[in-house]
Amino acid sequence: MTNYFDKLETRSADERATQQSAALMEQLACATSADGNYLDASGVAGIDDLVKLPVLRKSELVKWQAEKPPFGGINTSNVAHIFQSPGPIYEPGGITHDWWRIGRFLHALGIGKGDIVQNCFGYHLTPAGSIFENGARAVGATVLPAGTGQTELQVRAAKDVGSTAYAGTPDYLKVILDKADEIGTTLNITKAAVGGGALFPSLRAEYADRGILCLQNYATADVGNVAYESQAQEGMIVDEGIILEVVTPGTGIPVEPGEVGEVIVTSLNPDYPLIRFATGDLSAVMTGTSPCGRTNMRIKGWMGRADQTTKIKGMFVRPEQVADLVASHEGIARARVVASREDEKDVLTVQIETTANDAAGFETVIQSTLKMKGTIELVDLGALPRDGLVIEDQRSYD
């Protein structure tokens, strides 16, 4: 097995930017449906202009799909499957070589020809099972389509066919291994590709003690593989088939490297051209490149959800409203809404990074954007944490 899945993984930054800019322009052309573009990309000439385009949110996709089933009028091709995710949202799936780009992750883990992958991701309506099966085929591995549940049968099958690798959620492998120990069966699994849940360090260490290398990836049903760990285990390397941005939640404005924000993905798969798709997940860009030699951007992995919508005084406050607040007043550099409780009543506090010293000057814009009054705290520039929160709920629900 070679060190890298393909030459794309070791491109220089300039090569990647040039080639992805060209791919982006092709992708924007692919985004044309019979009714025209689902976005106006007339001012885009490459990656640097991507920020000019609107963010596509899942709520919009649900609406589009209700109006124009099944894919909302987005121009798709080579569709072999239609999957359903909560919303509901319908996603196309292909069966051509590494359509979901999971092969890159499995290769980094060391899975390839001669391996038998016990695929314990679900196959019912949702795409995870098919996503990992497609990736296993891309690296030449054999697949045992085990799905979820029936643990004793899972152990028997793993023993009988000689499974060498596991694909599934992080914790279900432990269930299988513990059942194997209980019935006195020795399994040959030495590699685990996990996703769809948190891989806690203690669980990874337990697998390592059993002789199993466990790495995780971050993927979505909409865009496939987003980022993945290599054996260096220093952050997650962004997949070569996407353009990833990290933005302030509720906006399309990129944050500085190292700051936490919402993950926005532009897929370069021409079969399903999603442009600036908001995953709803939080992460942060890491500086430098991986010691494994892969040169693409790294992120810290999944760090929570970006949808911080909170009900205060009986009214919902959304990240988009906080973004509108910042955009509506030139004196506001950043803002954070804090919900607290005092004398059995909700308290709204708006913290504002500014050089101004008169809080009263912000009262009107706060009331017009948030639709309620609140306490205003003026703080110095740079004082608010760069943790991705624009709405902080400090109330106790115990």
Side-chain angles (χ1 to χ4, degrees):
M1 179 180 288
T2 59
N3 288 336
Y4 305 111
F5 186 71
D6 56 28
K7 294 180 179 179
L8 298 180
E9 295 181 342
T10 55
R11 287 181 287 183
S12 69
D14 288 343
E15 283 181 304
R16 183 172 289 108
T18 298
Q19 293 167 7
Q20 288 194 338
S21 284
L24 172 63
M25 299 312 294
E26 293 178 5
Q27 195 70 330
L28 292 174
C30 289
T32 303
S33 69
D35 299 321
N37 290 324
Y38 75 78
L39 50 77
D40 179 6
S42 56
V44 178
I47 289 180
D48 291 342
D49 296 323
L50 198 53
V51 70
K52 297 178 182 179
L53 298 177
V55 170
L56 171 60
R57 301 204 169 273
K58 292 188 178 185
S59 58
E60 293 176 279
L61 205 50
V62 170
K63 180 181 177 182
W64 292 358
Q65 291 185 353
E67 294 171 351
K68 298 179 181 179
F71 303 126
I74 296 175
N75 193 21
T76 59
S77 57
N78 297 316
V79 178
H81 297 114
I82 298 176
F83 299 102
Q84 185 197 72
S85 294
I89 294 176
Y90 294 94
E91 301 99 2
I95 55 175
T96 52
H97 176 75
D98 206 27
W99 198 88
W100 303 92
R101 305 178 316 282
I102 297 294
R104 190 178 302 285
F105 166 47
L106 300 184
H107 183 90
L109 176 56
I111 294 176
K113 292 181 180 178
D115 278 306
I116 299 174
V117 179
Q118 187 144 338
N119 186 6
C120 295
F121 280 109
Y123 280 83
H124 178 66
L125 281 179
T126 57
S130 294
I131 287 174
F132 274 79
E133 179 165 321
N134 182 262
R137 288 177 176 174
V139 295
T142 301
V143 178
L144 174 64
T148 58
Q150 297 183 297
T151 305
E152 194 160 334
L153 281 177
Q154 297 264 10
V155 173
R156 174 67 185 269
K159 175 66 175 178
D160 288 349
V161 307
S163 297
T164 60
Y166 164 89
T169 57
D171 53 354
Y172 188 53
L173 175 57
K174 177 173 168 54
V175 175
I176 293 174
L177 296 174
D178 288 347
K179 176 59 72 172
D181 291 343
E182 179 186 322
I183 62 180
T185 299
T186 301
L187 302 182
N188 296 321
I189 295 173
T190 60
K191 290 166 274 194
V194 304
L199 174 58
F200 296 100
S202 58
L203 186 58
R204 195 203 299 260
E206 179 175 339
Y207 292 150
D209 289 341
R210 290 175 178 262
I212 299 172
L213 173 63
C214 181
L215 300 181
Q216 61 186 324
N217 83 315
Y218 163 36
T220 79
D222 315 275
V223 297
N225 196 30
V226 175
Y228 61 99
E229 287 186 318
S230 71
Q231 295 187 35
Q233 295 185 35
E234 292 191 13
M236 286 188 166
I237 302 162
V238 173
D239 187 81
E240 298 293 338
I242 66 164
I243 299 169
L244 184 144
E245 304 167 85
V246 178
V247 306
T248 302
T251 79
I253 303 172
V255 300
E256 294 296 322
E259 291 184 21
V260 179
E262 183 178 12
V263 175
I264 305 293
V265 174
T266 294
S267 169
L268 299 178
N269 179 358
D271 290 345
Y272 188 43
L274 287 182
I275 310 298
R276 297 202 87 196
F277 180 75
T279 65
D281 296 321
L282 294 176
S283 192
V285 173
M286 299 173 63
T287 59
T289 56
S290 174
C292 70
R294 293 172 177 84
T295 56
N296 206 355
M297 173 198 300
R298 294 177 298 163
I299 59 174
K300 292 183 179 180
W302 187 82
M303 300 176 70
R305 292 292 293 170
D307 185 4
Q308 301 157 30
T309 299
T310 304
K311 184 175 282 189
I312 309 172
K313 300 180 182 181
M315 296 181 63
F316 283 109
V317 179
R318 294 176 169 82
E320 291 84 352
Q321 290 174 277
V322 183
D324 288 342
L325 171 63
V326 175
S328 299
H329 198 294
E330 62 180 13
I332 303 176
R334 285 176 179 267
R336 174 179 292 211
V337 169
V338 178
S340 57
R341 196 87 173 151
E342 190 174 297
D343 296 328
E344 299 304 318
K345 295 180 180 179
D346 285 347
V347 176
L348 171 76
T349 302
V350 183
Q351 299 174 329
I352 296 175
E353 280 191 12
T354 182
T355 57
N357 52 26
D358 182 12
F362 300 102
E363 289 176 354
T364 300
V365 69
I366 287 174
Q367 188 167 359
S368 64
T369 53
L370 302 184
K371 310 305 179 185
M372 67 183 87
K373 295 179 180 180
T375 301
I376 302 172
E377 292 182 1
L378 305 184
V379 301
D380 293 336
L381 297 179
L384 294 179
R386 269 46 175 172
D387 55 6
L389 287 181
V390 292
I391 302 174
E392 180 183 359
D393 193 349
Q394 296 181 346
R395 295 168 294 186
S396 174
Y397 295 89
D398 295 336

